[in-house]
């Protein structure tokens, strides 16, 4: 009899395990502003290989595209300038020892170098950071956490997510729109003002880019956060910038809601004639544009549908808010 009681108690403790409680506000400041984004990578990312003396040496069979160089010898490297200096200091018999990270594992490898006219060549293409533009989705006025993009930033050559060492969002101004056409997604071009920083980036995840808003919080209208069950098919709108720094509202129509996909939760079509005339459809740089329905924020634009660029996908805003809260 005692054994049965113990089994029941154990089962009940599992059934009533505490659920996470999110601290995000029920009302948040909606963005729509065009922003510059810069991330300094954790480690130096290997993005490819180049020919030395007419052939690809691939530097070392132990090094792969997507690896992150963390150390040369015993010294950490955080920039390409660091990497160059440390290779010169640690070079022995045309070889240096590297510590790299691959798929969350730390590995020690040897990197052979080739002397070409007195200059040592690694055979590696590397990158220590990435810059671009996007659209600010929200600022939580209580926690000062911001979210943007609604998807991860990856380095295009290696298709590797950029791990954040440091990063920032800052002022930018749209200079040109390249229209989308079916089969080819257009883009926003912008002038970047690295000096006017709005916030610090702390993480780059599948669900967006997040950090702490350090500038003065805008005194804009707050929108109620809608849960996924509140979202309806039909009319909605997006907030985005097409010229200079002016945020404008454009009509869309929600045609599908998918709770089973991680980020492609909302399928929509642009029905705003002005937006279609200006952009041809969803364009790069529009990622993060807030989606509003019945005076509530429901999500953010994430992707164009390449074969039908007047249509796109969005992520639930609650997914972004929950991700922004995580340590």
């Amino acid at each position: 009899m005692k054994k049965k009681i113990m089994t029941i108690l154990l089962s009940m403790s599992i059934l009533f395990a505490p659920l996470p409680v999110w601290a995000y506000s029920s009302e948040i400041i909606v963005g729509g502003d065009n922003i510059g984004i810069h991330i300094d990578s954790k480690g130096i990312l290997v993005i490819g290989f180049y020919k030395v003396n007419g052939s690809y040496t691939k530097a070392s069979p132990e090094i792969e595209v997507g690896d992150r160089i963390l150390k040369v010898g015993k010294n950490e490297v955080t920039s390409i300038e660091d990497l160059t200096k440390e290779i010169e200091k640690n070079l022995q018999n045309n070889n240096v020892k590297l510590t790299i990270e691959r798929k969350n594992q730390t590995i020690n490898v040897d990197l052979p170098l080739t002397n070409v006219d007195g200059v040592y060549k690694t055979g590696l293409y590397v990158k220590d950071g990435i810059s671009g533009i996007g659209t600010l989705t929200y600022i939580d006025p209580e926690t000062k956490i911001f979210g943007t993009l609604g998807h991860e930033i990856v380095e295009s050559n290696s298709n590797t997510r950029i791990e954040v060492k440091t990063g920032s969002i800052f002022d930018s101004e749209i200079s040109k729109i390249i229209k989308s056409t079916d089969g080819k997604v257009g883009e926003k071009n912008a002038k970047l003002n690295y000096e006017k920083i709005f916030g610090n980036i702390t993480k780059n995840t599948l669900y967006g880019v997040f950090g702490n808003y350090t500038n003065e919080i805008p005194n804009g209208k707050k929108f109620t956060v809608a849960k996924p069950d509140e979202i309806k098919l039909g009319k909605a709108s997006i907030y985005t910038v097409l010229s200079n720094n002016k945020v404008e509202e454009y009509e869309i129509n929600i045609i599908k809601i998918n709770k089973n996909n991680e980020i492609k939760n909302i399928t929509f079509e642009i029905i705003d004639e002005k937006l279609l005339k200006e952009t041809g459809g969803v364009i790069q740089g529009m990622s993060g544009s807030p989606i509003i329905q019945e005076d509530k924020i429901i999500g953010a634009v994430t992707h164009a549908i390449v074969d039908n660029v007047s249509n796109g996908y969005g992520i639930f805003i609650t997914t972004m808010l929950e991700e922004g809260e995580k340590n």
Side-chain angles (χ1 to χ4, degrees):
M1 190 63 160
K2 286 182 180 178
K3 185 181 283 188
K4 288 182 180 178
I5 292 170
M6 287 176 66
T7 303
I8 291 168
L9 288 173
L10 181 61
S11 300
M12 288 182 69
S13 68
I14 293 170
L15 282 170
F16 294 100
L19 296 172
V21 177
W22 305 110
Y24 64 78
S25 303
S26 59
E27 291 186 332
I28 56 177
I29 296 170
V30 165
D33 314 82
N34 197 77
I35 53 171
I37 299 170
H38 178 79
I39 296 176
D40 292 313
S41 173
K42 175 191 170 188
I44 297 163
L45 188 63
V46 178
I47 63 171
F49 304 95
Y50 63 86
K51 290 181 179 180
V52 179
N53 288 338
S55 63
Y56 290 102
T57 62
K58 204 176 176 182
S60 166
E62 299 176 76
I63 296 177
E64 299 178 2
V65 169
D67 287 347
R68 292 184 176 85
I69 302 171
L70 305 179
K71 292 181 181 179
V72 177
K74 295 182 179 180
N75 298 321
E76 290 186 4
V77 288
T78 59
S79 68
I80 292 172
E81 185 180 2
D82 285 350
L83 180 66
T84 303
K85 288 179 179 178
E86 291 301 327
I87 284 175
E88 290 174 356
K89 286 165 56 178
N90 289 274
L91 188 62
Q92 293 183 353
N93 299 321
N94 295 345
N95 187 80
V96 291
K97 295 186 179 298
L98 304 180
T99 302
I100 64 171
E101 184 182 89
R102 181 186 303 151
K103 296 177 181 177
N104 297 319
Q105 289 189 327
T106 303
I107 307 168
N108 296 314
V109 300
D110 290 326
L111 173 65
L113 277 71
T114 304
N115 190 325
V116 180
D117 299 326
V119 178
Y120 285 96
K121 303 287 187 178
T122 64
L124 299 176
Y125 283 123
V126 294
K127 186 176 282 189
D128 59 7
I130 196 165
S131 295
I133 63 170
T135 303
L136 181 67
T137 307
Y138 72 88
I139 306 165
D140 188 319
E142 299 299 323
T143 63
K144 296 189 177 180
I145 293 171
F146 72 81
T148 181
L149 296 187
H151 60 71
E152 63 191 347
I153 296 176
V154 298
E155 196 287 315
S156 58
N157 296 286
S158 60
N159 199 32
T160 302
R161 182 188 300 170
I162 299 292
E163 296 290 338
V164 178
K165 179 169 70 77
T166 58
S168 60
I169 59 169
F170 47 89
D171 183 46
S172 69
E173 185 175 318
I174 299 296
S175 57
K176 184 179 179 181
I177 297 289
I178 299 172
K179 288 185 179 182
S180 286
T181 55
D182 288 347
K184 188 175 182 180
V185 179
E187 62 181 345
K188 298 181 183 183
N189 290 344
K191 298 174 184 176
L192 303 180
N193 180 4
Y194 292 93
E195 302 296 317
K196 191 175 179 181
I197 294 174
F198 298 140
N200 299 321
I201 294 170
T202 57
K203 56 184 176 179
N204 171 32
T205 80
L206 178 66
Y207 309 106
V209 172
F210 303 91
N212 301 309
Y213 200 83
T214 55
N215 204 18
E216 184 178 350
I217 300 291
N219 190 25
K221 179 182 176 181
K222 295 177 185 177
F223 284 76
T224 300
V225 174
K227 300 292 190 276
D229 288 342
E230 298 178 75
I231 302 170
K232 304 170 185 176
L233 299 180
K235 285 190 177 181
S237 61
I238 62 172
Y239 285 15
T240 200
V241 173
L242 298 184
S243 178
N244 298 318
N245 291 314
K246 186 179 180 182
V247 178
E248 294 189 83
E249 184 177 6
Y250 300 97
E251 280 191 295
I252 63 171
N253 185 47
I254 295 173
I255 55 180
K256 185 178 179 182
I257 299 166
N258 184 357
K259 296 179 183 178
N260 297 319
N261 193 286
E262 286 191 284
I263 59 174
K264 295 178 180 178
N265 307 125
I266 300 167
T267 307
F268 65 88
E269 58 181 349
I270 296 173
I271 57 175
D272 194 293
E273 292 299 326
K274 181 183 176 183
L275 184 57
L276 288 170
K277 183 179 178 181
E278 294 273 351
T279 67
V282 181
I283 57 175
Q284 294 180 56
M286 201 179 279
S287 293
S289 298
I291 305 175
I292 307 298
Q293 188 177 63
E294 295 181 353
D295 224 25
K296 294 182 179 181
I297 179 167
I298 64 172
V301 175
T302 58
H303 298 81
I305 297 176
V306 178
D307 294 335
N308 183 7
V309 290
S310 63
N311 289 18
Y313 293 115
I315 186 173
F316 291 143
I317 190 61
T318 48
T319 302
M320 288 187 71
L321 288 162
E322 288 167 10
E323 185 68 14
E325 293 286 332
K326 292 177 183 175
N327 294 324

